[in-house]
Structure formats: structure tokens, C-alpha cells
Amino acid sequence: MRATRLVSLLLLLQSRDRMTARELADALEVSVRTIYRDVDSLGAAGVPVYGEPGHEGGYRLLDGYRTRLTGLTAAEAEALFLTGLPAAAAQLGLAAETTTAQLKLMAALPAELRERAGRVADRFHLDLPPWYLGAERTPHLAQIAAATWDQHALRIRYLRWAEPHEITRTVHPHGLVLKAGNWYLVARGDGRFRTYRVSRILDVDVLPQAFDRTEGFDLAAHWADYLAHFDQRRHRETAVLRLSRRGLERLPRLLEPAVVAARKTTSGPDAAGWTEVEIPIESVETAVPELLKFGGDVEVVAPEALRAEVITALKAMNRTYDV
């Protein structure tokens, strides 16, 4: 652990002009006293590091000194693609490797490029999760990621929407996808690929047997195809609505993009400004709360089951407010 910290300290000094003991301590999450000891150790090992006193002082390396420790380790190389995603790296158990890889990259750059790269990091930050939603708990993510990398089979206990809700399957993990802040496992089992939301995996056992990846499998292409057919699989029913002018204007803001893109105008607008449209829906149950967002700017024409459920919901609201 101390050797890793000494390397990180050296790389920090190499990638920046000078740093105070407090700045180094904050970056490495240790005490200032530990930094003093580490700097002494580097000096004893022949590293030309020296301190400058005063308000503008700090530790720095002798001009022109370059360490040869900037080669990436295997784990750091694996973490390299996550250097801009610190939260994702931490979830995968690669936070330390990502930080070290980032330091080595900065240390290997010429001074001018180091400054430009630092400005990018200071001015742009990628935050994946959507507003108003907390991060999902994924306690088994690191285990799953390790099994995916090492090509070991997994036995997972999974909570799904359909009955039976809780199932156990043995799968071959082929890849992990981070979508809108949520992790998904793409795995093969029973001769087909399935997608599992990692937060809904209740338990994981990494099995000793290794597996061979499906020849020609391309995770990015598979995910693109999965997304292309996702809405078609989900939206299996159709609703016919009458929308006021205001309701038609609010449609893109109140319904999801896939529904808006698939809508069809069947008639109108009539003399009162109402337009009849046809939209895809997932089910009657999921459509009701979505349509209630429109208030009095929508009327359900069909199916009759959806119209009846909306009426039931409105009557219940009337009773609540004693209207």
C-alpha cells in the first residue's frame, strides 16, 4: 500500500509544477505528517524532490526529471476506459486503478498537453444518473464484473416483473452496460442472450467452471439491437385519444419519446380544436397514470378497458376531494 502511495505521490509531482504538503495529503487521503515521511523516503531513494518554503512554496521535482514508472499495469489498462467515469469505476471496484492510470497518463504528457488536459477535467464533468432518481444499489456488481472479465459462469437469483417473480438461473456473463446511470448484465443461458438489471439481482454465486465466449459476439452491436427492439416488445397495445390543442402541445413533454414518435393522427382537429390520435401503450395499468397527467386535455376513446380505468381513477379523486 505504501509503495503504491509513493508512486502516486511521485506521479502527482511529475504531472504538476509544485504541490504543498497539504495538497498532496488531500489528494492521497493521508495526513500531512505521512507526506513528510514519504517525501523523505523518495529523497533517500534518489528521487530529486525538494521543498521550497514560503507562501508560494511547495514540493517539486528537479526540472527535467522523468520517472520511468509510467507504464500501465494490466489492471490500470483495464480501468483506462473509465478514467472519465469515477463513480462507475468505484462501483466496479476499479477506483484505485483508474486514479493511478489517470496520473500515469498525465505524467507521460508534455507540460503543455498536461495543462490542456487539466483544463478539460476542470471544466467538464460527466454525471450519468438522471435527475430526481437516487443511485441504484448494486452490491454484487464487482463480483459480476470480475466473473465477466474472467469468463466464469454465474448462478444468479433474480427478481423479475413476470411470474414467478423470483427465479434462479445459471448464465455466462458476456458484458456489462451502463445505461442512464443503471447497470445491466448481458448474459447467455439456455442458448439465448438475456439482459438483467443488476440492481434486481438478489444473490450471486461465481461458479468455478469457465466458459467460452460466443464467437463473434459484439457487446455494442448487441445492445444497439436490444434497444432498437425494446419499445416494440414493450408497447404491445394501442390507445385512441382525443386531445385538445393544449394537450397536443403538451404531448411531447408528458409522454416518452418512443410513444411520441409512434403516434398517428387519425382525425381532426375538429371545430373545437380537438384531435384524435393513436398511440402505443405498454398496458392499461401503466397507461392510466401517464394519461392522468393531461388533466382535462385528454379523452380516452379506446380501448374500453382503459377508458373505464381512467373514469374509475377520476371518480376516486372526486370522492377524495368531495367534488
Side-chain angles (χ1 to χ4, degrees):
M1 182 65 182
R2 184 165 184 264
T4 301
R5 189 176 68 245
L6 288 174
V7 171
S8 295
L9 192 156
L10 179 55
L11 292 172
L12 280 169
L13 292 176
Q14 184 170 311
S15 62
R16 306 183 191 182
D17 182 42
R18 64 168 58 82
M19 294 183 72
T20 66
R22 169 50 59 192
E23 289 172 335
L24 287 166
D26 290 343
L28 298 175
E29 299 181 344
V30 295
S31 67
V32 171
R33 186 180 296 274
T34 298
I35 293 299
Y36 292 152
R37 289 198 299 265
D38 287 350
V39 169
D40 287 342
S41 297
L42 287 176
V47 176
V49 56
Y50 63 95
E52 296 177 332
H55 180 68
E56 298 295 328
Y59 288 111
R60 62 180 299 174
L61 293 172
L62 187 68
D63 288 343
Y65 176 81
R66 309 292 292 177
T67 175
R68 295 182 180 180
L69 298 176
T70 52
L72 296 176
T73 68
E76 292 160 3
E78 293 162 14
L80 188 58
F81 78 104
L82 288 169
T83 52
L85 302 171
Q91 289 176 317
L92 290 170
L94 293 171
E97 289 83 0
T98 302
T99 300
T100 307
Q102 206 166 25
L103 282 172
K104 287 186 176 182
L105 283 175
M106 291 292 285
L109 291 173
E112 181 183 349
L113 294 183
R114 269 205 312 271
E115 182 184 352
R116 291 176 65 88
R119 285 206 303 268
V120 170
D122 288 340
R123 288 160 175 76
F124 298 97
H125 175 69
L126 181 60
D127 185 11
L128 291 175
W131 287 104
Y132 314 119
L133 295 177
E136 293 188 328
R137 290 188 68 255
T138 54
H140 306 296
L141 179 60
Q143 259 185 301
I144 294 169
T148 303
W149 182 252
D150 295 331
Q151 294 180 215
H152 275 273
L154 293 171
R155 183 180 293 113
I156 62 173
R157 188 162 58 89
Y158 188 71
L159 184 64
R160 62 178 186 173
W161 299 110
E163 292 186 354
H165 297 300
E166 195 173 301
I167 60 171
T168 300
R169 284 182 178 153
T170 298
V171 299
H172 294 167
H174 276 59
L176 283 162
V177 176
L178 182 60
K179 169 72 171 175
N182 300 318
W183 287 97
Y184 295 87
L185 169 66
V186 178
R188 187 176 177 87
D190 300 327
R192 57 174 292 191
F193 281 101
R194 290 186 176 91
T195 300
Y196 302 91
R197 193 160 178 152
V198 174
S199 63
R200 298 180 69 82
I201 295 178
L202 305 176
D203 198 17
V204 169
D205 285 322
V206 179
L207 303 180
Q209 64 264 32
F211 68 91
D212 293 326
R213 286 173 60 85
T214 301
E215 188 175 352
F217 176 77
D218 184 320
L219 180 60
H222 172 86
W223 185 254
D225 184 65
Y226 175 81
L227 292 181
H229 294 90
F230 178 73
D231 291 318
Q232 296 175 17
R233 295 191 301 271
R234 188 164 56 98
H235 294 138
R236 297 184 177 182
E237 300 182 38
T238 301
V240 180
L241 314 174
R242 289 183 70 245
L243 292 166
S244 68
R245 287 192 181 93
R246 183 169 176 267
L248 203 60
E249 290 173 357
R250 297 171 69 202
L251 185 71
R253 298 194 299 274
L254 297 182
L255 297 183
E256 60 181 280
V259 172
V260 176
R263 72 169 181 178
K264 297 177 183 176
T265 300
T266 53
S267 67
D270 59 18
W274 287 72
T275 300
E276 188 174 279
V277 300
E278 187 178 284
I279 64 167
I281 62 172
E282 188 172 346
S283 67
V284 168
E285 291 75 15
T286 58
V288 171
E290 295 298 309
L291 296 178
L292 289 176
K293 297 176 186 176
F294 287 86
D297 290 316
V298 67
E299 177 192 355
V300 177
V301 178
E304 185 58 38
L306 177 57
R307 181 181 177 90
E309 286 294 326
V310 170
I311 292 172
T312 299
L314 293 175
K315 286 181 176 178
M317 293 174 69
N318 283 336
R319 287 193 298 272
T320 299
Y321 291 98
D322 195 22
V323 176

